[in-house]
Amino acid sequence: MSIQPPLSDLPIKTAETGFYRGFSVDVTVISKIIIGVLVVWCIVWPEWAGEVLGAWNSAILASFAAWYIWVVAFFVIVCIVLAIWPTAGKMNLGAEGEKPEFSNFSWFSMMFGAGIGVGMLTWAVAEPVAHFGSNPETIMGITNGGTADNVRMAYKWSFLHWGFGAWACYAICGLSLAFFSYRRGLPLTIRSGLTPLFGSALSGVLGTIIDIVAVVATILGVAQTLGFGVDQFVAGLTRIGIGGLTDETGSASTVGIIVALLVIMGASTLSALSGVGKGIKWLSNINMVLSIILLGFFIIFGATWFGFNAMFIGLWDYIIALPELSFNVFRSDGVEGSESFLLAQWQGWWPVFYWAWWIAFAPFVGLFLARISRGRTIREFVLGALVVPALMCFVWFAWAGGTAIDLELNGGADGVIFAAQNGDKIFAMTEFMLAPIADILAWGMALLIVVLLMTFLVTSADSAVLIVNTINAAGDEGPKARPHILFWGAALGLVVAGLLISGGTGAIQTAMVIGALPFSLVMVLMAISLLKAIYNDGRREKAGVEAVTTNLNVTPAE
């Protein structure tokens, strides 16, 4: 049988007139209904919503914990294969000879800012501190929580959650979209990544369902990030002197949530209207520069040597343990309080939650990565998306979290940092470090962190709005999508507000874990499709059959 050219035409029905002109009405309207029902449910019946979401979450964690663990391990393996596979590595994500649109600095800045930057400001301090107190080794009695012998365990688990597994999820989704859109000329939407398996059937109901699942997962994944960010943003505003935004526990009050979301979503909507090449690019560059300044402060004036040890010893421990950590599933014996029960519970709270978060976040980050990575080779994309951002995360955790642990162990912090809310820990730490020198310096550092957090939040939110509109518009990135930016900006803000009101960040976490489950199956199929497509393209190249059907006549980023 002769080798045929690849499928390069996937028509998706869009409205020709009216408000939804240029949009897939089925995908857009059904996605809006699902998100709208979720918002109304959480705001009007918060207690009922919290109970139901909690029950669903428990059922998913009990039944699908192993699925989440093994799926992410599969994604890491696929990325390694793609990086070392000669046929795959040299393929260009675009026409032959096409060059990248963005410089490496802007590419890494946008990748890091949209993908994981917000989490750094909360969890780079909070997570090593949490694992320093409790982790599987402390549960099994191997190490002692809160003591020096538990530092290495704290970093092994922190690096696992924010390392190669996280970025493998993003890389798989982003590479699939870039490959099929920029080499095949297919629509820049999730369904295109499954064409090697389902072909032209994706023009119909099957493709509609896949894109709807992606839109809902995107909104819930970004809502998780914004939920953590809102708490920290309010904590920062309180630290710089703006009162009335927290409750008696120190968490963001309803007023604080509303104020923070109005500021963040208003700025992000304006940025989204300016497009990727303007607002998002410049915000990403700004927050990268501010990140370097803040990180430099921790490296120079924080626990320099402690952080150095945490970085390299933690990285060694993580890489050596990665095969076991990637596949190990803790099984509960059902006896509450037993060791196996506590281990399974811990795994549900941490690795399973994180894998669900990264999977839910993958349509957003993946499509965004595809959008900014045209013209790069597959090897360059995989290594750039997998290794560089992960190393940046490790550096943050080592010196920001290491400074917090060192100050508590050896620097006389006496619980000031550990006792603060997760989002407030970085502010408590910098205040403790600088207040003895000058209060104005502590205030200035808090202001810098607030500005940095704001740029990260806005970058994530405006990118998400643009991505959702691209999926709804059957992959069309043109300006006709802009009237709908206002709707999705408001919808995203309301989802965050509704879930926070109905049960705090725990409610967002629950909704996100639920929303990630169906998309995890889609991502597995995307990975398989990608491997099949690259293999077939290699065969086409040897047989002299044209495999690249795109061209350079593409509208550049705005």
Side-chain angles (χ1 to χ4, degrees):
M1 179 183 290
S2 61
I3 300 176
Q4 299 297 317
L7 177 69
S8 60
D9 183 29
L10 187 67
I12 301 174
K13 183 179 179 181
T14 57
E16 297 181 0
T17 59
F19 181 70
Y20 289 105
R21 180 176 177 270
F23 283 78
S24 170
V25 177
D26 293 339
V27 174
T28 307
V29 173
I30 295 174
S31 298
K32 287 180 177 180
I33 291 172
I34 293 172
I35 296 301
V37 168
L38 178 63
V39 169
V40 172
W41 184 36
C42 290
I43 291 178
V44 178
W45 298 285
E47 293 184 4
W48 177 35
E51 291 175 1
V52 173
L53 288 173
W56 288 355
N57 185 55
S58 298
I60 287 176
L61 292 181
S63 304
F64 292 95
W67 166 259
Y68 276 120
I69 297 295
W70 294 338
V71 156
V72 172
F74 171 66
F75 295 153
V76 174
I77 292 171
V78 171
C79 285
I80 294 171
V81 169
L82 291 173
I84 63 177
W85 185 8
T87 301
K90 64 183 181 181
M91 288 184 180
N92 191 302
L93 298 174
E96 292 300 327
E98 187 171 355
K99 300 299 181 183
E101 179 181 353
F102 299 103
S103 68
N104 285 337
F105 182 81
S106 291
W107 186 51
F108 290 135
S109 297
M110 287 189 283
M111 187 191 314
F112 185 76
I116 221 163
V118 174
M120 284 295 92
L121 292 181
T122 298
W123 295 107
V125 176
E127 185 158 344
V129 166
H131 298 326
F132 180 61
S134 176
N135 57 58
E137 281 76 15
T138 64
I139 294 172
M140 293 184 287
I142 298 172
T143 58
N144 299 298
T147 61
D149 73 335
N150 200 37
V151 171
R152 292 177 69 165
M153 299 303 104
Y155 278 95
K156 181 182 74 173
W157 290 103
S158 296
F159 286 3
L160 173 69
H161 300 150
W162 293 80
F164 302 138
W167 290 94
C169 295
Y170 302 158
I172 290 295
C173 196
L175 183 57
S176 173
L177 287 162
F179 184 93
F180 291 104
S181 295
Y182 301 144
R183 285 182 61 87
R184 296 282 193 270
L186 297 175
L188 186 62
T189 187
I190 302 299
R191 72 176 80 183
S192 296
L194 302 184
T195 51
L197 297 181
F198 301 107
S200 57
L202 291 165
S203 291
V205 175
L206 177 60
T208 297
I209 293 172
I210 289 168
D211 283 347
I212 291 170
V213 167
V215 169
V216 174
T218 298
I219 293 296
L220 294 177
V222 177
Q224 177 70 64
T225 298
L226 293 180
F228 285 137
V230 163
D231 264 357
Q232 189 168 41
F233 189 63
V234 169
L237 293 178
T238 302
R239 289 280 180 175
I240 63 175
I242 301 176
L245 303 178
T246 58
D247 56 25
E248 61 276 3
T249 68
S251 300
S253 64
T254 301
V255 172
I257 292 169
I258 293 172
V259 169
L261 285 173
L262 285 175
V263 173
I264 294 164
M265 298 312 301
S268 66
T269 301
L270 292 175
S271 177
L273 288 169
S274 70
V276 174
K278 294 180 181 177
I280 297 175
K281 175 183 175 181
W282 285 106
L283 277 173
S284 297
N285 288 343
I286 289 170
N287 63 36
M288 180 61 79
V289 171
L290 293 178
S291 296
I292 291 171
I293 293 172
L294 180 59
L295 183 60
F297 169 77
F298 291 132
I299 292 174
I300 297 171
F301 300 104
T304 305
W305 183 245
F306 190 100
F308 182 86
N309 282 329
M311 172 68 187
F312 290 99
I313 295 176
L315 184 57
W316 171 261
D317 289 342
Y318 163 60
I319 292 175
I320 293 299
L322 185 58
E324 178 188 357
L325 299 181
S326 297
F327 293 97
N328 182 50
V329 177
F330 293 119
R331 307 284 186 180
S332 173
D333 60 6
V335 179
E336 188 169 351
S338 69
E339 181 178 294
S340 66
F341 177 89
L342 294 175
L343 288 170
Q345 184 182 58
W346 188 92
Q347 190 168 53
W349 286 345
W350 290 99
V352 173
F353 156 67
Y354 271 122
W355 295 167
W357 187 5
W358 306 146
I359 289 169
F361 217 39
F364 153 55
V365 181
L367 204 153
F368 187 71
L369 285 182
R371 177 65 188 83
I372 64 175
S373 301
R374 180 170 185 146
R376 297 185 182 273
T377 65
I378 289 178
R379 181 173 294 113
E380 184 180 13
F381 180 96
V382 171
L383 294 179
L386 189 69
V387 177
V388 176
L391 289 176
M392 278 294 295
C393 291
F394 299 157
V395 169
W396 266 95
F397 275 80
W399 273 278
T403 297
I405 293 174
D406 187 49
L407 288 174
E408 290 285 4
L409 278 178
N410 309 307
D414 196 26
V416 169
I417 302 169
F418 285 2
Q421 297 276 346
N422 284 334
D424 196 34
K425 278 182 167 61
I426 192 169
F427 295 105
M429 180 173 67
T430 53
E431 182 175 294
F432 176 79
M433 294 170 67
L434 293 172
I437 303 172
D439 287 339
I440 188 65
L441 290 179
W443 182 89
M445 182 57 71
L447 179 62
L448 182 147
I449 295 171
V450 168
V451 172
L452 176 58
L453 178 63
M454 178 72 176
T455 62
F456 274 135
L457 289 168
V458 171
T459 301
S460 294
D462 61 13
S463 301
V465 170
L466 288 174
I467 292 322
V468 166
N469 271 293
T470 299
I471 297 173
N472 288 335
D476 191 335
E477 304 168 81
K480 64 184 179 58
R482 290 181 178 179
H484 297 265
I485 287 174
L486 294 174
F487 171 85
W488 284 110
L492 182 56
L494 287 172
V495 167
V496 177
L499 290 169
L500 285 174
I501 291 170
S502 69
T505 54
I508 300 180
Q509 174 180 333
T510 298
M512 180 272 301
V513 170
I514 295 168
L517 186 58
F519 191 70
S520 66
L521 176 59
V522 173
M523 281 190 61
V524 169
L525 296 176
M526 291 173 78
I528 295 171
S529 295
L530 186 60
L531 293 171
K532 180 180 179 182
I534 292 172
Y535 172 73
N536 286 334
D537 272 12
R539 294 175 63 219
R540 291 185 181 102
E541 183 178 325
K542 291 179 180 178
V545 177
E546 184 63 43
V548 180
T549 56
T550 186
N551 58 62
L552 288 170
N553 296 319
V554 179
T555 302
E558 299 170 7

